[in-house]
Amino acid sequence: DRTECNRVSHAWLEALEPVQAGVWLRDAELLRERGSALELAAAAEREATASSRDKRAPPSKDEGGAVELEQFLAEGLADDDDDDGDYNDVIDGGRGEAEEEERKSLSDEDENKAVKAPAELRREGSKRSDLDRAEHCIQLDIPRTYGSIALFRGEEVRDKIRALLVWWAHTYPSIGYMQGMSFLAAQIVLHSKDETEARHLVQLMCQVPDYNLEGFFSRNMKAAEQCIAQLHELLRASDPALTNRLEEFGLVPLTVTVPWFITLFAHTMPFEVLVEVWDLFFAAGWEAIFRVAVVLITDLREDLLCPSATFETAILALQSAAVYTPEGLVTSAQLLPLEAEQLAAIRALPLSWSSGSS
């Protein structure tokens, strides 16, 4: 039934005294209240995603294919019809504007301090400038986050997501803000009873070594690159023929899967499936994300290995994998056979993000 389908383990929260176990989906009554809304929201999101995908032509495999692919992936984390601004403009232009405002606001005493300790003030100014840019990018991303779902178009929910992301950027300045984090924040807000509970969940995901989102996001795209490299190794061991096919198409490294890791599948996965995937994530850490990713890709085996498959159809199939998920996805992920060496490599990744090793 629906209660069992959306069951979430609460053991991972019991260690947090300020938060009662059950922060994710607390009881059957809450499930019943949210069940219909989540089902409708998930259906609308899948329909909107499919429609958006149809509008975009996939990148061609030519000399500029790598650049086109990066652009294509970037579009996948933003609303195509949104024209609120360009991230490069924000990053390049924001620093100069912030520094100018800071310089104007310095009193004579501050200017004297600047002469005495320019390096310290520059560091402080750079920190404030980074936070300003993070808040600007958050403001741009909020309307793009589940924009096709009415619940997330409401100002109250958007304000909660915005407030959580701003707090996240200020609390973990090494992270600041990365595009895609808004989907994480949206799911956390959806399943938290108040702001305090949402913040505790962010702290849990950032600081517990098995999750270590602070380390993941602090390394910019380096951690994501490590993840897709590890995914390639897992696929090679699980299905060599399929991996060879992906390599023939020029799809390795699997950059098309980067949003899976950045958003923990929150970007496109149906909510009723996502809640089970996150349940597995909180129980097993990043191992869960890799297991699910391998199952999603190997489920496309027939489509990818057929003689008529092309680079373009393979791209579309991979992009659709987390939208139209196979039945029993989480069960299949749990049963996926992995060698001890593979598990050790996966579990070492979050530790490497903290240590700064490549």
Side-chain angles (χ1 to χ4, degrees):
D1 58 19
R2 185 163 199 87
T3 302
E4 180 60 21
C5 178
N6 285 314
R7 174 199 54 77
V8 184
S9 171
H10 301 155
W12 50 270
L13 265 176
E14 292 177 350
L16 291 177
E17 292 183 2
V19 181
Q20 297 297 319
V23 66
W24 195 248
L25 290 174
R26 285 171 293 280
D27 49 41
E29 181 178 356
L30 182 57
L31 278 171
R32 285 194 295 272
E33 291 175 357
R34 286 182 173 169
S36 297
L38 287 175
E39 186 174 346
L40 290 173
E45 181 67 14
R46 288 195 297 273
E47 182 179 350
T49 302
S51 175
S52 177
R53 189 189 317 110
D54 291 340
K55 293 178 184 177
R56 295 197 302 268
S60 58
K61 184 183 177 184
D62 56 17
E63 195 172 303
V67 175
E68 291 183 14
L69 180 57
E70 290 182 5
Q71 294 172 342
F72 192 61
L73 292 175
E75 290 176 2
L77 283 173
D79 185 352
D80 294 336
D81 297 327
D82 185 86
D83 193 25
D84 288 329
D86 182 86
Y87 277 85
N88 292 329
D89 293 341
V90 172
I91 293 173
D92 295 338
R95 183 182 299 274
E97 294 174 7
E99 290 176 350
E100 179 66 21
E101 290 298 322
E102 181 184 3
R103 185 164 54 253
K104 290 178 180 179
S105 66
L106 285 175
S107 63
D108 292 339
E109 181 180 354
D110 290 332
E111 289 177 358
N112 290 333
K113 289 181 180 178
V115 173
K116 295 178 181 179
E120 181 179 346
L121 281 179
R122 279 200 301 272
R123 284 195 296 271
E124 182 63 26
S126 177
K127 180 179 178 181
R128 286 201 296 270
S129 180
D130 289 342
L131 291 174
D132 288 342
R133 288 197 300 278
E135 291 186 24
H136 193 141
C137 292
I138 289 168
Q139 190 70 22
L140 294 179
D141 262 2
I142 295 299
R144 301 166 173 167
T145 304
Y146 299 131
S148 63
I149 300 177
L151 173 65
F152 293 95
R153 292 198 297 269
E155 284 305 313
E156 182 180 357
V157 172
R158 285 185 173 183
D159 287 345
K160 290 180 179 179
I161 297 171
R162 183 183 299 107
L164 181 61
L165 286 169
V166 170
W167 172 86
W168 197 337
H170 281 257
T171 305
Y172 298 94
S174 62
I175 297 176
Y177 177 77
M178 178 183 288
Q179 193 175 18
M181 287 173 61
S182 60
F183 291 95
L184 296 173
Q187 289 294 328
I188 291 170
V189 166
L190 179 64
H191 297 298
S192 300
K193 67 181 180 182
D194 55 32
E195 182 179 62
T196 299
E197 206 166 71
R199 290 182 176 184
H200 277 299
L201 187 52
V202 169
Q203 290 174 324
L204 180 85
M205 297 172 79
C206 283
Q207 295 172 210
V208 171
D210 286 346
Y211 314 139
N212 195 12
L213 288 191
E214 180 179 16
F216 179 86
F217 287 118
S218 297
R219 293 173 62 78
N220 294 319
M221 293 301 294
K222 293 295 184 183
E225 290 171 4
Q226 288 178 298
C227 287
I228 62 176
Q230 184 62 50
L231 177 58
H232 180 214
E233 295 301 318
L234 295 175
L235 281 172
R236 167 68 64 190
S238 178
D239 195 329
L242 179 59
T243 307
N244 288 338
R245 185 67 160 165
L246 291 171
E247 290 173 351
E248 290 173 8
F249 286 140
L251 290 173
V252 174
L254 289 162
T255 51
V256 71
T257 66
V258 166
W260 297 359
F261 294 100
I262 291 178
T263 70
L264 303 180
F265 293 106
H267 173 229
T268 55
M269 187 169 281
F271 287 10
E272 67 271 20
V273 181
L274 180 66
V275 72
E276 290 190 329
V277 170
W278 276 34
D279 179 25
L280 190 60
F281 173 75
F282 286 120
W286 284 91
E287 176 189 335
I289 303 303
F290 283 102
R291 285 180 174 275
V292 170
V294 171
V295 171
L296 288 176
I297 295 175
T298 54
D299 185 65
L300 301 172
R301 191 175 199 278
E302 182 177 345
D303 295 332
L304 295 174
L305 291 180
C306 73
S308 61
T310 65
F311 173 80
E312 287 77 14
T313 60
I315 279 282
L316 292 177
L318 287 168
Q319 288 181 321
S320 302
V323 181
Y324 305 103
T325 56
E327 186 175 353
L329 170 63
V330 171
T331 299
S332 298
Q334 289 174 307
L335 297 176
L336 181 71
L338 293 177
E339 300 292 337
E341 294 80 2
Q342 295 172 320
L343 291 173
I346 293 171
R347 292 165 184 168
L349 281 176
L351 299 178
S352 75
W353 302 333
S354 292
S355 65
S357 60
S358 299

